[in-house]
Amino acid sequence: MPPESPPVPYEPADPRARLVALLDRLRPADGTEAAHRRYAREWAAGGAPLYRVRKPDVPAVHLVAYFTVVDPRTGRLLLTDHRGAGLRLPPGGHVEPADRDPWATVARECREELFVEAAPLEPTGRTPFFVSVARTRGAGSHTDVSLWYAVQARPEEITRYDTREFAGIGWVTPGEARALPPATTDPNLGRAVRGLTTLLGA
């Protein structure tokens, strides 16, 4: 008899139910992430608007998808100098109603921002490995509920980037990413990187 195929995760058709299912699949790495997942799940299940409809802060809480680009040979990570935020961040973008699955946001933003196709990194695949909730800084401050994904690409594959969005890009080790001063990046970056490297056994 042929070997059995691994079970396919249940994927609800409704975007809100799909988001709740993605959150339920996460295994928080620490108490902070557990609290963030609980907040995100209650927000998603409670019927609040999920998607940004007007820049920068309508609605006041909305869904974002980051994607951490990992060089599969060295384990180095790509960070961008994001013009709008004035921070060093992974690439990503706001999830839109047409996306339905936040992975579609990752695929779209990878093409638009880095001009490459999003290649899922194993063992995360096309599901998020981390969730965070953060208040943005500056004018129009709002709350981002962020799903963090991982994709793989070699530095030589990324030869250009969206200069309207980023002032520059660069590759760093996981240790360098975790050591960034909190005021210069997403406050959850260090924890996300730690969770990813633990997941990958690095």
Side-chain angles (χ1 to χ4, degrees), residues 95-168:
V95 181
E96 298 177 357
D99 291 339
R100 297 185 63 81
D101 183 344
W103 173 259
T105 305
V106 174
R108 183 188 69 242
E109 295 292 337
C110 201
R111 285 192 298 268
E112 292 180 356
E113 295 182 345
L114 301 177
F115 302 97
V116 295
E117 295 298 318
L121 179 72
E122 295 301 334
T124 61
R126 298 185 179 201
T127 58
F129 67 88
F130 188 79
V131 61
S132 65
V133 179
R135 190 80 182 162
T136 65
R137 306 182 183 112
S141 181
H142 57 274
T143 298
D144 283 344
V145 174
S146 301
L147 298 176
W148 298 62
Y149 292 79
V151 303
Q152 59 181 332
R154 296 179 177 183
E156 61 267 25
E157 296 173 324
I158 300 178
T159 59
R160 56 195 182 115
Y161 56 88
D162 184 353
T163 56
R164 297 167 302 174
E165 192 86 6
F166 308 136

Side-chain angles (χ1 to χ4, degrees), residues 21 24 32 116 180 185:
D24 285 346
T32 300
V116 295
L180 288 172
T185 188

Side-chain angles (χ1 to χ4, degrees), residues 17 29 38-39 57 64 69 73 87 90-91 117 125 129 141 154 164 171 180 184 187:
R38 185 166 54 252
Y39 173 96
D57 58 353
V64 169
V69 183
R73 294 172 303 183
L87 301 171
E117 295 298 318
F129 67 88
S141 181
R154 296 179 177 183
R164 297 167 302 174
W171 295 85
L180 288 172
T184 67

Side-chain angles (χ1 to χ4, degrees), residues 28-37 68 129-134 148 174 177-180 185-199:
D30 56 32
T32 300
E33 189 183 358
H36 287 192
R37 186 185 73 163
T68 305
F129 67 88
F130 188 79
V131 61
S132 65
V133 179
W148 298 62
R178 292 195 302 268
L180 288 172
T185 188
D186 184 291
N188 298 287
L189 177 68
R191 292 175 41 258
V193 170
R194 185 180 301 110
L196 179 60
T197 53
T198 299
L199 186 64

Side-chain angles (χ1 to χ4, degrees), residues 6-20:
V8 177
Y10 170 62
E11 297 289 1
D14 175 68
R16 188 178 301 277
R18 183 187 293 267
L19 175 57
V20 171

